Amino acid sequence: MKKITKETYLDWYKNMLFWRKFEDKLASVYIQQKVRGFLHLYNGQEAILAGALHAMDLSKDKMITAYRNHVQPIGMGEDPKKVMAELYGKATGTSKGMGGSMHIFSKEFGFYGGHGIVGGQIPLGAGIAFGDKYKGSDAVTLTCFGDGAARQGSLHEAFNLAMLWKLPVIFICENNGYAMGTSVERTANHTDIWKLGLGYEMPCGPVDAMNPIKVAEAIDEAIQRARRGDGPTFLEMKTYRYRGHSMSDAQHYRTKDEVEEYKKIDPITQVKDVIFEKGYATEDEISAIDKEVKAMVKECEKFADESPYPDTQQLYDMVYEQEDYPFIS
């Protein structure tokens, strides 16, 4: 694995803070109805993405996930201004405003979307990995989903074929403990989701996903296994979501005290503590990063606010007409 250096920690701090503040801004403009529909935020889970990016080769590796999908393409290289514009439904967005919050997509940067069907991306991720193996590429696909999606039948079908064909895919369950709002303890007679891999003899295990180092180490090992041709891995990332499932979630299923307790191990705070302990940056230098992040978020908001909505014609440009279509008289 690439060495974890002073620069790594400073990048982690800046990136995770930006992702957090970017989504905080989305929550704010959602209340103003500038972002419509559903909005699912990643707050608290940033260490998964930070650690994954450290282990990935972004020149070829890919990622696919569910609808909590705003910051992943940014981490992989997409312009955050375009991501925010997409959430606004603007023509300058990553999908010209046609995808919105739940369907961010960036083929250019290897991000194959947020998917609104719970668990629907699991077999798709296996399919992307199948394509890479078929073409002789040693690229690896990270397929992410929540603990609720782990109860979908599509997971078992994908696990079976991924092991049978030794596909270069890493299945990542981002277990925040509550899925949409139901505790893991109430959805199955077991709480160790990673053990689902044992039924397929798939390498699997739990990961402390509030710590980007632990995430990077686990994903690096899985990537190396996949590149060797040894097939998939299933990792259960034990994380915690500070906000509700979506903006309409009243969060009656947990207490405020519980959320505050988990904030004591906030991945951003953990990284900042190490930065200070090791003398990687001073208070003033961290403050400068904070100001830079604030300015970056403001720039994204300004771009989205000032961008135009799509023309009506765009609706027709997204479909095609077959003149010799034989089934309409």
Side-chain angles (χ1 to χ4, degrees):
M1 187 175 74
K2 287 179 292 187
K3 192 174 180 181
I4 295 174
T5 64
K6 167 185 173 181
E7 286 70 29
T8 307
Y9 272 101
L10 291 173
D11 284 345
W12 276 346
Y13 177 74
K14 180 180 176 180
N15 291 336
M16 289 196 293
L17 183 66
F18 175 66
W19 302 334
R20 178 78 58 86
K21 297 301 183 183
F22 181 90
E23 290 207 317
D24 285 346
K25 176 56 68 175
L26 289 177
S28 174
V29 296
Y30 184 86
I31 295 170
Q32 300 171 41
Q33 297 189 339
K34 291 181 178 180
V35 172
R36 303 296 185 96
F38 294 99
L39 183 65
H40 307 84
L41 303 178
Y42 204 62
N43 294 42
Q45 301 181 203
E46 295 92 350
I48 300 173
L49 179 59
L53 293 174
H54 185 77
M56 295 170 72
D57 181 343
L58 295 182
S59 69
K60 56 187 174 184
D61 294 335
K62 304 172 182 69
M63 184 180 291
I64 187 170
T65 188
Y67 40 77
R68 204 174 300 278
N69 67 144
H70 313 131
V71 298
Q72 292 89 340
I74 294 172
M76 295 183 74
E78 184 57 85
D79 185 342
K81 294 194 295 294
K82 291 183 178 180
V83 174
M84 188 165 283
E86 183 62 34
L87 281 138
Y88 273 58
K90 296 298 185 72
T92 54
T94 52
S95 296
K96 299 183 179 180
M98 304 293 282
S101 167
M102 297 173 72
H103 304 287
I104 307 296
F105 194 94
S106 180
K107 183 179 178 182
E108 179 184 359
F109 293 100
F111 182 70
Y112 286 81
H115 293 264
I117 302 300
V118 176
Q121 74 277 17
I122 300 174
L124 295 179
I128 295 169
F130 177 85
D132 282 327
K133 183 169 185 176
Y134 183 81
K135 294 172 185 174
S137 169
D138 68 344
V140 178
T141 298
L142 275 63
T143 300
C144 305
F145 51 94
D147 46 295
R151 311 309 183 191
Q152 293 285 349
S154 58
L155 175 140
H156 298 277
E157 296 166 346
F159 275 21
N160 182 58
L161 289 178
M163 282 300 293
L164 181 65
W165 294 332
K166 293 289 184 284
L167 299 182
V169 57
I170 304 171
F171 297 106
I172 297 173
C173 176
E174 297 179 308
N175 181 6
N176 62 54
Y178 290 104
M180 284 182 64
T182 303
S183 172
V184 168
E185 284 87 354
R186 297 178 61 198
T187 61
N189 71 334
H190 63 277
T191 55
D192 292 321
I193 294 175
W194 63 270
K195 291 182 179 178
L196 292 174
L198 298 175
Y200 302 90
E201 298 184 3
M202 184 186 297
C204 53
V207 181
D208 172 9
M210 302 302 276
N211 185 334
I213 295 178
K214 299 294 185 183
V215 174
E217 290 172 345
I219 292 182
D220 179 72
E221 182 181 348
I223 285 176
Q224 290 185 42
R225 180 182 297 118
R227 292 209 209 284
R228 290 195 304 266
D230 293 339
T233 300
F234 176 39
L235 300 173
E236 179 189 351
M237 298 287 173
K238 292 183 177 290
T239 184
Y240 197 82
R241 184 185 68 221
Y242 296 141
R243 289 184 178 268
H245 171 70
S246 70
M247 289 295 290
S248 59
D249 181 2
Q251 306 183 56
H252 293 312
Y253 47 85
R254 62 182 180 181
T255 65
K256 290 182 179 179
D257 288 343
E258 179 183 300
V259 176
E260 290 305 314
E261 197 64 28
Y262 272 96
K263 283 185 178 180
K264 294 178 182 177
I265 55 169
D266 187 318
I268 298 175
T269 303
Q270 287 195 55
V271 166
K272 185 163 70 169
D273 287 345
V274 173
I275 288 172
F276 286 145
E277 286 168 12
K278 294 184 176 291
Y280 289 158
T282 64
E283 290 275 6
D284 287 344
E285 288 168 330
I286 289 296
S287 180
I289 293 174
D290 295 348
K291 289 178 182 177
E292 183 182 357
V293 163
K294 187 176 180 180
M296 289 166 62
V297 172
K298 191 172 184 179
E299 184 181 357
C300 292
E301 182 186 18
K302 184 174 186 290
F303 178 82
D305 273 328
E306 295 178 355
S307 292
Y309 285 104
D311 292 331
T312 304
Q313 179 61 38
Q314 185 173 294
L315 288 170
Y316 302 100
D317 293 340
M318 296 298 171
V319 296
Y320 69 92
E321 180 182 21
Q322 183 177 333
E323 292 183 1
D324 61 347
Y325 191 66
F327 303 110
I328 297 179
S329 57

